Amino acid sequence: MLTRIDHIGIACFDLDRTVEFYRATYGFEVFHSEVNEEQGVREAMLKINDTSDGGASYLQLLEPTREDSTVAKWLAKNGEGVHHIAFGTADVDADAAAIKDKGVRVLYEEPRRGSMGSRITFLHPKDCHGVLTELVTSAPVESPEH
Ligand code: MC0
């Protein structure tokens, strides 16, 4: 079951300048940043709010790390802007399978690694009314050491 908007992915040319815009304009701070080589992005997660399912909602700012990445290709065609939306679920495998059964193309055979150790897959934008849609299961929260 999809229980939150996990994040909205925003493609940008210059991550540092875009982070500074969101900080100076809205007061949003970077919660987490990383490079995902497989996806070809450098990203910053700005936490907006916690959600009732125990997760959270973020803005995800994405800068391409290589010219052949999907985000670089999208930026070249469209310029900066909203690139995808991501729904959070406790079980990305089950939700992806159920959505596939409804005739929507799921882009990965198996979920791949996403931000902060999450497991992610994508749905084809042409099957989702023009919206690239991601499904996310967050990494389990580690219990503190005793
Ligand atoms: C492409 N299209 C989009 C789109 N990207 N439409 C809406 N939103 C997007 N983001 C449209 C194109 O305009 C084109 O339509 C058609 O889809 C085919 O696109 P293409 O440019 O020819 O490119 P393809 O077919 O090679 O690839 C499109 C596809 C790809 C969606 C399959 O971008 C993909 O695999 N995306 C999933 C992975 C991804 O985006 N990773 C980056 C975020 P027309 O009408 O012109 O034919 S990584 C991330 O977000 C991770 C780190 C995380 O959340 O943790």
Side-chain angles (χ1 to χ4, degrees), residues 1-8 31 45-59 86-90 116 136-139 141:
M1 188 175 37
L2 309 179
T3 53
R4 66 178 180 276
I5 292 176
D6 185 272
H7 64 265
I8 297 169
F31 179 82
M45 298 293 274
L46 315 182
K47 187 170 171 179
I48 307 303
N49 59 281
D50 293 313
T51 54
S52 59
D53 61 356
S57 294
Y58 302 87
L59 293 183
F87 296 122
T89 165
M116 298 185 282
V136 183
T137 295
S138 303
V141 178

Side-chain angles (χ1 to χ4, degrees), residues 5 17-19 21 23 30 50 57 63 69 81 83 102-103 107 123-124 131 138 145:
I5 292 176
R17 286 186 61 186
T18 309
V19 162
F21 169 81
R23 192 200 62 73
V30 175
D50 293 313
S57 294
E63 178 194 85
S69 72
H83 178 260
K102 293 176 185 177
L107 296 179
L123 312 178
H124 201 289
V131 179
S138 303
E145 304 267 333

Side-chain angles (χ1 to χ4, degrees), residues 29-92:
E29 301 287 347
V30 175
F31 179 82
H32 172 84
S33 59
E34 68 180 79
V35 172
N36 186 324
E37 290 293 358
E38 182 182 26
Q39 295 289 341
V41 294
R42 189 162 80 94
E43 62 171 68
M45 298 293 274
L46 315 182
K47 187 170 171 179
I48 307 303
N49 59 281
D50 293 313
T51 54
S52 59
D53 61 356
S57 294
Y58 302 87
L59 293 183
Q60 181 185 61
L61 307 180
L62 297 161
E63 178 194 85
T65 56
R66 51 173 203 269
E67 283 182 13
D68 64 348
S69 72
T70 55
V71 172
K73 197 172 167 185
W74 190 86
L75 276 167
K77 187 174 172 186
N78 302 286
E80 295 184 312
V82 174
H83 178 260
H84 66 271
I85 63 167
F87 296 122
T89 165
D91 191 343
V92 63

